[in-house]
Amino acid sequence: MKRIKGFQNLTLKYKLTIAFSSFIIIPFLAVGGTLSWLYLDSNRNTTLSAASQNNDQIIKNIDTTLNSIFRLTMYPFHDQEIFEILRKDYSKLEEPGYERSKDFDRVNAMIQNNILLYSDVIDSVTIYHMKDKSIIGRSNVQYVNYDYLKNGYLKEPYIREILSKNGEHVTIGVHQERMTNKKEHVVSVGRSIIDPYTNESIGIILVNIDIGKLKQLWSSIQFTENTELYLLDQNNRVIYSNEKTEIGHHANTIFKEDIEYEDPLEEVSVNGKKSFLLSSASDISGWRTVTVIPKSELFQLLNTILKLMVTIIVVGLILSIVAAIYIATSITKPLKVLEDKML
């Protein structure tokens, strides 16, 4: 009531000034605020939708590549010559060294002509001879760590998994290539080569995929300045990241947050920053693409718009007050003159 009385006690000039200013400012705030919110919501949804579609496309491209490699690992099953080599017992031959060397060259030629020519992402192909405990074919002719081959190769968890699958393909997450001294990170596809007559594993084919070449399967899209894209394996270890030092580490140690990836879109804290996390998973490998977009950057444009709006409102307010005062004065001045004459 006091406020109403206070307003009633104002002069006509001030009342008109307040009324004219209100008619200008209130609609301006309402329309400007509504349009800003609608634009923000549309911009956010568009960006998140584009990031989600990009994740899905990357997974489709990777699945297509993996499917082609799955088929390539079947080649030894269809080559009688490789089967004969893998069945050999070199210890019973008169010149085992010569036979190994000859067979190694033959198998290498088969790998070059029938496997490597059909994929651009393959780093190396190795065919292991179970009976001889040796490499009978290898596309990468770099130095082989024979101590590892003799004492560590068959103990690798992924090699044991390959042998347990009885000829089915196995997708192997990020790991170090220990066959050479470089110990570079790779991902792999492997399967055991089964003798159809004895149903025994006579060999292993292992295809290593160059992580660096995987990037050619997708285009780099920067949705915001600090958007990060990750490719994780089935154990949520980083296969690909812009930071090479993160490759091979568990994603949660990088994000500094335990993330379960239960939903395609989650709002989580990544390195202490509120972020949108979008993920898409592969049904055939268990790998997933993860895009992390800082939440603040999606609202950065809105902040710019709000600053512009505040500036416009302040300027508009000043101009509207000046205009309201001018209009109110033009109305009340003649009335004041009339009032003076009536006294």
Side-chain angles (χ1 to χ4, degrees):
M1 293 294 294
K2 290 182 179 180
R3 291 181 180 178
I4 295 175
K5 287 182 179 179
F7 181 77
Q8 289 176 345
N9 293 331
L10 292 176
T11 63
L12 179 61
K13 180 179 178 179
Y14 286 118
K15 288 180 181 179
L16 290 174
T17 301
I18 293 172
F20 290 141
S21 299
S22 299
F23 286 137
I24 296 173
I25 297 300
I26 292 175
F28 186 83
L29 288 174
V31 173
T34 301
L35 291 177
S36 297
W37 172 252
L38 290 175
Y39 181 82
L40 167 67
D41 191 57
S42 175
N43 182 67
R44 182 191 64 182
N45 291 338
T46 299
T47 301
L48 295 179
S49 177
S52 179
Q53 291 175 13
N54 186 59
N55 281 351
D56 292 342
Q57 188 59 52
I58 291 173
I59 284 296
K60 288 178 182 178
N61 294 345
I62 291 174
D63 284 352
T64 299
T65 299
L66 288 177
N67 278 321
S68 68
I69 294 176
F70 294 158
R71 291 190 293 270
L72 291 174
T73 59
M74 287 295 296
Y75 177 76
F77 289 80
H78 306 298
D79 192 295
Q80 188 61 34
E81 191 173 5
I82 290 182
F83 263 112
E84 291 176 1
I85 291 172
L86 291 174
R87 290 191 185 108
K88 283 185 179 181
D89 186 346
Y90 289 100
S91 63
K92 295 181 180 180
L93 300 178
E94 292 183 2
E95 298 181 1
Y98 170 74
E99 288 292 331
R100 285 192 186 95
S101 177
K102 183 179 66 174
D103 290 343
F104 187 87
D105 290 340
R106 291 163 65 188
V107 175
N108 276 3
M110 295 174 192
I111 290 173
Q112 292 287 342
N113 297 328
N114 298 285
I115 297 180
L116 292 182
L117 290 179
Y118 295 95
S119 178
D120 295 330
V121 300
I122 294 177
D123 175 67
S124 64
V125 180
T126 300
I127 297 181
Y128 181 81
H129 195 299
M130 290 295 294
K131 186 175 289 186
D132 197 50
K133 300 292 187 293
S134 65
I135 297 296
I136 200 59
R138 180 173 170 80
S139 62
N140 191 333
V141 293
Q142 293 176 350
Y143 168 81
V144 173
N145 186 339
Y146 287 99
D147 181 64
Y148 165 77
L149 182 63
K150 181 180 179 180
N151 300 310
Y153 186 70
L154 292 178
K155 295 179 182 179
E156 290 282 8
Y158 60 85
I159 295 296
R160 293 203 299 268
E161 183 182 2
I162 288 172
L163 293 173
S164 70
K165 293 296 184 179
N166 200 35
E168 294 182 9
H169 69 260
V170 175
T171 305
I172 303 158
V174 62
H175 62 100
Q176 284 188 321
E177 162 63 292
R178 301 182 188 276
M179 192 69 73
T180 66
N181 288 333
K182 286 187 175 182
K183 296 183 180 180
E184 295 177 343
H185 283 96
V186 295
V187 289
S188 307
V189 173
R191 71 169 81 230
S192 58
I193 303 168
I194 305 298
D195 189 327
Y197 300 105
T198 63
N199 202 33
E200 294 179 348
S201 177
I202 58 176
I204 299 170
I205 180 170
L206 185 70
V207 178
N208 287 336
I209 300 171
D210 187 331
I211 289 175
K213 292 180 180 178
L214 281 176
K215 194 176 185 299
Q216 70 187 35
L217 299 178
W218 64 83
S219 57
S220 298
I221 300 176
Q222 201 72 8
F223 295 100
T224 65
E225 183 179 356
N226 294 301
T227 293
E228 295 290 345
L229 174 68
Y230 298 90
L231 177 62
L232 309 182
D233 67 12
Q234 61 269 38
N235 298 312
N236 291 332
R237 295 191 177 276
V238 177
I239 298 174
Y240 172 81
S241 167
N242 289 328
E243 295 291 335
K244 292 185 178 180
T245 56
E246 295 177 343
I247 294 175
H249 294 279
H250 196 282
N252 287 351
T253 64
I254 296 169
F255 298 155
K256 296 180 175 61
E257 189 76 20
D258 292 332
I259 300 174
E260 300 297 332
Y261 309 100
E262 295 178 351
D263 300 312
L265 172 61
E266 299 179 74
E267 291 188 33
V268 298
S269 176
V270 176
N271 293 324
K273 296 181 180 179
K274 292 182 178 180
S275 304
F276 289 105
L277 187 144
L278 300 96
S279 63
S280 299
S282 166
D283 293 329
I284 68 171
S285 65
W287 298 357
R288 70 175 67 245
T289 50
V290 174
T291 299
V292 178
I293 304 176
K295 195 173 181 180
S296 61
E297 293 188 5
L298 278 183
F299 293 90
Q300 192 170 9
L301 183 59
L302 177 64
N303 293 334
T304 302
I305 293 174
L306 287 176
K307 289 178 182 178
L308 180 61
M309 278 189 60
V310 169
T311 302
I312 294 173
I313 288 172
V314 170
V315 173
L317 179 61
I318 294 172
L319 292 177
S320 64
I321 291 174
V322 171
I325 293 173
Y326 176 79
I327 295 171
T329 301
S330 64
I331 294 175
T332 58
K333 188 174 181 180
L335 295 177
K336 179 64 175 173
V337 173
L338 181 62
E339 182 183 2
D340 293 340
K341 289 182 178 179
M342 293 177 63
L343 293 176

